[in-house]
Amino acid sequence: MAHTITPPDTVRVARADLTAFCTRLFVSLGLSPADAAVAADVLVAADARGIPSHGLARLPSYVNGITTGATVPDARPEVIAETPATLAVDAHGGMGAPASAEAMRRIIAKARTAGAAIACVRDSNHFGIAGYYAMLALEHDMIGLAMTNTAALGVPTFGRQVMFGTNPIAFAAPAGRERAFVLDMSTTVVTKGKLEVYERLGQPLPDGWAVDRSGRSATDPHRILDEMFRRAGGGMLPLGGEGELHGGYKGYGLAVMVDILCGVLGAAAFGPGLADNPTCFGRVSHFFAAFDVAAFRDVAGFKADMDRMLSDLRASPLAEGAERIYVAGEKEFEREAKYARDGVPLLRQTYDQAIEIGRLHGVAGLPRAAAG
Amino acid sequence: MAHTITPPDTVRVARADLTAFCTRLFVSLGLSPADAAVAADVLVAADARGIPSHGLARLPSYVNGITTGATVPDARPEVIAETPATLAVDAHGGMGAPASAEAMRRIIAKARTAGAAIACVRDSNHFGIAGYYAMLALEHDMIGLAMTNTAALGVPTFGRQVMFGTNPIAFAAPAGRERAFVLDMSTTVVTKGKLEVYERLGQPLPDGWAVDRSGRSATDPHRILDEMFRRAGGGMLPLGGEGELHGGYKGYGLAVMVDILCGVLGAAAFGPGLADNPTCFGRVSHFFAAFDVAAFRDVAGFKADMDRMLSDLRASPLAEGAERIYVAGEKEFEREAKYARDGVPLLRQTYDQAIEIGRLHGVAGLPRAAAG
C-alpha cells in the first residue's frame, strides 16, 4: 500500500497484551492483583478509545508517583460516610482507578434501591479517563456521571493566574441499537497536552486557547507552558474562551462547579492548592453519580427515545463544508472497534518508554500486533 | 444629578409591588393563590436579579399560553414514580414554576434522609430562571441543580438545523460569609434574546454566536432569526462556538445531556420535536437535584472552604485591561441588593405592556417606585 493512516512512528499492540503488561507492572509496583487489573484496564482503555493523552504515555507519572511515595500503591480506600444515596470515600492517597471503580460500583448498587446515588472520593490520584467510570453505569441501564478536579491549569474569566483545573465532566446514557451517548470533556477549551503537542511541533497555538502572564490570549506554547509551570502567570482558558463575549464565564463556572463537587465536598485539596510537580500528580478528588432509568420510566422506552435522538442528530443536515455530525462518544467507539481489529496504536516513543519501564521493574513482554 | 445609570426608558417598581401584581394577574388567569404566588415570585426574581429576559417581558407569552389552552392554569402536578432518592412528576401542562418549586422541595426532603435526591418534571411549561430552583437548596445547606430543555434553537457541531434547546444548567452551593456560588448558564453561546436585542439595535452579531441556513457563523440577526423561526436552517451555536477548534462539541454535548436528563428521562418532548409557536411556549421538561452537604462532611468546614475558594478567585490577579474577576452569581446578588434599594428596573415597554395585560384581566395597580 502506498498510503497508510498510521504514522510511521506508531507501534500497534493488542489490547489484551497491553492490559496484561500494565497489570503485571502495577503488581510489581505494589498494587494488589485486583487493583492492578483495574488500574491497567482504565489506562489501556484510554489508548484503546483513541485518547492517548490519558493512556500509556502517562506511565512514567504513575510510576514516579508510586516510587516517590506520593501515590500509595497498597492504600485501602475507606468509606468515611454513607447514606442510602451517598458515599464518601477516602482513597488515602492510593491509585485513582481502583478507588473510583469501586465507588462507582457501590453507588450503582445504591441506585438500584434508592433510584439515584452519588459519591465523593477524596485524597486520590489521577484516575485516567472520566468517561470510563460514567460508562460503568451503562450495563445496569443507568445514567452515569464522573468528574475530577485536577492540578490548577485554568484561569478565571478576566484573570491571569491558574485557579482551577481542567476539571473534566463525563456523562454516559444508555441507548438501544445506537451506541451509548458518552460525553467526556474538560471544562477548559483544551488541556495542557494539546499545548505540549503544539510545542513539540513548533507551531503557534490557535487564538483563544490559553493566556500568557499578561492574562491575554497568546499563541506561543513554549512560553505559556514555561510560565504556567513556574506559576508566573498564564494558563488555559475556560470553555467559551477569553472574556465574556463567547461565554467564557460558563466554562469558568463549570470548572468551579466540578471543583466544589470534588474538592470542597470531599474536604480535600482544591483550586490553586492542587498542583502537580515534575515527578508526580497532586492529590485529586472525584465525584460520581448513578441514576437508575427504571426509577423514572420503562427502560425500553428510554432506549427507543435515545435511539431516535441520537440517529436524528447524526442524520441532521450538514453545515456547508462539513463532512459529518457526530454524537458524543461516537468517535471513541469507532476507534475502539478499529483498534480491536488492528491493534492499539502507541507512539513509538510511548512504546519504547513502556518497555524500558517494564525492564526496570522486571516486567517483560509487550509484543507488537501482527501487521493489520 | 447630571448622570444616571438608569436609561431614560426605564421604570422602577418595588419588588413587592411587582410580585403582588403578578400574583393577582395569575389568579385572574385561573391559578390557585398558592401557585400564583410561586409563579409570580419566580418571574419577578428574574427582573430583581437583573435577568430581564426571563422576567415580566415574558408576561405576554405566559398569558397567551394560558388563554390559548397550551398552559393549563389549574393543572395538578402528579407524582408518577417515586423512590427514596428520586421523584418523577407529570406537570400535566401546568405552569412550570409551581410544579418545579414543589418538586425541588420534595427532593430536598428526600435528600435530608437519603443524602441526595433527583427529580424529573415532565410535560411542563417555561419555568423562568433555572437558578431560582437550584438556590432553593441553599437554606437547607444543600447543593442544588436545575436544568430544563427548551424549544430547539441550537445547532449541533457541523450542523445547520436546530436540534436542541438553549438547555440551561443551574448549580448552587452554599457558602459562609461569602455569598453562595450560583451558576446559571445556557449551554449555547448566547440565547435567542441576545439576537433579538441586536436586531432591535440594527447591529451585526459578533462572529461565533449563531449560524445562518448555510450552517456557517453569520452576523445578520434579522435573517438568522427569520430563518430559524421558519426552520429554514440556522440557529444558535453551542458553547465553544463553531466547529471543534474551541470545543464547540462540548457545548453541544452538554445541551444534549440536559435534553436526556429532562426530555428523555421524562418520557416527554425533546430535540427538534420541542418547538415554540408565536403565541406560546412548547411543553418542556425539567431535571432537579439536591445533595446534602452533611452527608459528606461538616457543613461549617464546607462553608469555610467555599469562602476561601470564592474569595481567592475574586482576589486573584487581573488580566491586563480587566477590571474585576467575578464568581458565578455575584453580579446577580449585587443587582438584587441595588434594586432592593432603588426599585426593580423595567423597560418602559415592558411596564406599559404589563399595565395593559393587567387592564385586560381586571388587575390594576403597578405603582412606580419613588425616585431613587
Side-chain angles (χ1 to χ4, degrees):
Chain A
M1 292 273 290
H3 300 284
T4 172
I5 296 168
T6 310
D9 58 346
T10 296
V11 174
R12 292 187 177 275
V13 183
R15 182 171 184 166
D17 290 336
L18 275 178
T19 306
F21 173 84
C22 291
T23 302
R24 281 182 288 138
L25 180 64
F26 286 135
V27 167
S28 82
L29 289 162
L31 273 74
S32 72
D35 284 358
V38 174
D41 198 49
V42 176
L43 195 70
V44 173
D47 287 307
R49 294 174 60 77
I51 312 161
S53 58
H54 287 60
L56 264 76
R58 296 224 176 182
L59 263 188
S61 292
Y62 282 106
V63 172
N64 284 338
I66 292 172
T67 54
T68 60
T71 303
V72 183
D74 58 351
R76 302 301 313 154
E78 179 190 0
V79 174
I80 52 176
E82 196 168 10
T83 73
T86 66
L87 183 74
V89 174
D90 192 324
H92 290 309
M95 295 279 283
S100 296
E102 175 64 16
M104 197 70 200
R105 266 193 298 275
R106 283 175 180 246
I107 62 168
I108 286 167
K110 283 178 182 287
R112 184 65 70 213
T113 306
I118 62 175
C120 202
V121 177
R122 72 180 305 280
D123 201 30
S124 181
N125 282 285
H126 196 263
F127 76 174
I129 47 173
Y132 183 94
Y133 309 100
M135 289 173 72
L136 292 178
L138 295 175
E139 65 177 301
H140 303 276
D141 291 336
M142 293 189 190
I143 291 168
L145 263 170
M147 307 177 190
T148 188
N149 61 6
T150 77
L153 292 167
V155 296
T157 302
F158 299 129
R160 61 183 164 87
Q161 192 77 38
V162 294
M163 295 298 290
F164 46 78
T166 53
N167 298 3
I169 298 173
F171 172 89
R177 56 181 162 68
E178 293 281 327
R179 286 163 297 204
F181 178 86
V182 183
L183 178 67
D184 187 352
M185 53 169 270
S186 69
T187 48
T188 46
V189 178
V190 293
T191 55
K192 195 181 59 167
K194 275 273 180 74
L195 266 62
E196 290 165 344
V197 169
Y198 276 70
E199 185 188 30
R200 279 197 294 272
L201 297 173
Q203 286 186 359
L205 301 179
D207 196 45
W209 279 14
V211 299
D212 64 16
R213 62 194 300 175
S214 76
R216 304 305 304 267
S217 176
T219 60
D220 179 348
H222 178 72
R223 200 176 126 217
I224 292 171
L225 285 165
D226 175 63
E227 290 177 357
M228 190 163 63
F229 178 73
R230 293 187 287 108
R231 296 246 169 148
M236 315 305 301
L237 279 164
L239 179 62
E242 188 178 12
E244 296 185 330
L245 188 65
H246 291 91
Y249 57 97
K250 299 180 183 184
Y252 161 35
L254 289 171
V256 173
M257 175 186 85
V258 172
D259 214 6
I260 291 170
L261 289 173
C262 298
V264 181
L265 197 59
F270 59 83
L274 186 48
D276 289 341
N277 69 46
T279 55
C280 69
F281 300 119
R283 293 270 172 92
V284 297
S285 298
H286 324 300
F287 178 84
F288 304 100
F291 305 151
D292 189 9
V293 169
F296 290 90
R297 63 177 296 196
D298 63 304
V299 172
F302 179 92
K303 289 183 175 178
D305 278 351
M306 285 296 300
D307 285 346
R308 183 158 60 90
M309 169 186 268
L310 299 177
S311 60
D312 284 355
L313 283 167
R314 294 196 293 107
S316 76
L318 285 170
E320 273 177 16
E323 292 180 0
R324 183 170 165 188
I325 293 171
Y326 291 91
V327 294
E330 197 177 5
K331 286 184 182 178
E332 289 76 15
F333 282 120
E334 291 188 357
R335 281 191 292 241
E336 191 168 21
K338 176 174 162 47
Y339 298 167
R341 294 189 303 269
D342 303 346
V344 177
L346 298 178
L347 287 178
R348 172 170 293 283
Q349 175 192 345
T350 301
Y351 176 81
D352 290 346
Q353 198 176 52
I355 296 281
E356 175 63 11
I357 289 172
R359 197 186 58 74
L360 288 170
H361 294 89
V363 178
L366 190 53
R368 298 172 59 163
Chain B
M1 291 275 287
H3 300 284
T4 172
I5 297 169
T6 311
D9 59 345
T10 297
V11 174
R12 291 187 177 276
V13 183
R15 182 171 184 168
D17 289 336
L18 276 177
T19 307
F21 173 83
C22 291
T23 302
R24 282 182 287 139
L25 180 65
F26 286 136
V27 167
S28 83
L29 289 163
L31 273 74
S32 72
D35 284 357
V38 174
D41 198 50
V42 176
L43 195 70
V44 173
D47 287 306
R49 294 174 59 78
I51 313 161
S53 58
H54 287 60
L56 265 74
R58 296 223 178 182
L59 263 187
S61 292
Y62 281 107
V63 172
N64 284 338
I66 292 172
T67 54
T68 60
T71 304
V72 183
D74 57 352
R76 304 300 314 154
E78 179 190 0
V79 174
I80 52 176
E82 195 167 8
T83 74
T86 65
L87 183 73
V89 174
D90 192 325
H92 290 309
M95 294 280 281
S100 296
E102 175 64 16
M104 198 70 201
R105 265 193 298 275
R106 284 176 181 246
I107 62 168
I108 287 168
K110 283 178 182 288
R112 184 65 71 212
T113 306
I118 63 174
C120 202
V121 177
R122 72 181 305 279
D123 201 31
S124 180
N125 282 285
H126 195 265
F127 76 175
I129 47 173
Y132 183 94
Y133 309 100
M135 290 175 71
L136 292 177
L138 295 175
E139 64 177 302
H140 303 277
D141 292 336
M142 294 189 189
I143 290 168
L145 263 170
M147 307 177 190
T148 187
N149 62 6
T150 77
L153 292 167
V155 297
T157 302
F158 299 130
R160 60 181 165 89
Q161 192 77 39
V162 293
M163 295 298 290
F164 46 78
T166 53
N167 297 4
I169 299 173
F171 172 89
R177 57 182 162 68
E178 292 281 327
R179 286 163 298 204
F181 178 86
V182 183
L183 178 66
D184 188 352
M185 53 168 270
S186 69
T187 48
T188 46
V189 178
V190 292
T191 55
K192 195 181 60 168
K194 275 272 180 77
L195 267 61
E196 290 166 343
V197 168
Y198 276 71
E199 185 188 30
R200 279 197 293 274
L201 296 172
Q203 287 184 359
L205 301 178
D207 197 44
W209 279 14
V211 299
D212 64 16
R213 63 193 299 174
S214 76
R216 303 306 304 267
S217 177
T219 59
D220 178 347
H222 178 74
R223 198 175 127 217
I224 292 170
L225 284 165
D226 175 64
E227 289 177 357
M228 191 163 62
F229 178 74
R230 292 188 287 108
R231 298 248 169 147
M236 315 305 300
L237 279 164
L239 179 62
E242 189 177 12
E244 296 185 331
L245 188 64
H246 291 90
Y249 57 96
K250 299 180 183 184
Y252 162 35
L254 289 171
V256 173
M257 175 186 84
V258 172
D259 214 6
I260 291 169
L261 290 172
C262 298
V264 182
L265 197 58
F270 60 82
L274 185 47
D276 289 341
N277 69 46
T279 55
C280 68
F281 301 119
R283 293 270 172 90
V284 297
S285 299
H286 324 299
F287 178 84
F288 304 100
F291 305 151
D292 189 9
V293 169
F296 290 90
R297 63 175 298 195
D298 63 304
V299 172
F302 178 91
K303 289 183 175 179
D305 278 351
M306 285 297 300
D307 285 346
R308 183 158 60 90
M309 168 185 268
L310 299 177
S311 60
D312 284 355
L313 283 166
R314 294 196 292 107
S316 76
L318 285 170
E320 274 177 15
E323 293 179 1
R324 182 169 165 187
I325 292 172
Y326 290 91
V327 294
E330 196 177 5
K331 287 184 181 179
E332 289 76 15
F333 281 120
E334 291 189 358
R335 282 191 292 242
E336 191 168 20
K338 177 174 161 45
Y339 297 168
R341 294 189 303 269
D342 304 347
V344 177
L346 297 178
L347 287 178
R348 172 170 293 283
Q349 178 191 342
T350 302
Y351 177 81
D352 291 345
Q353 199 177 49
I355 296 282
E356 175 63 13
I357 289 172
R359 197 185 60 73
L360 288 171
H361 295 90
V363 178
L366 190 54
R368 298 170 61 162

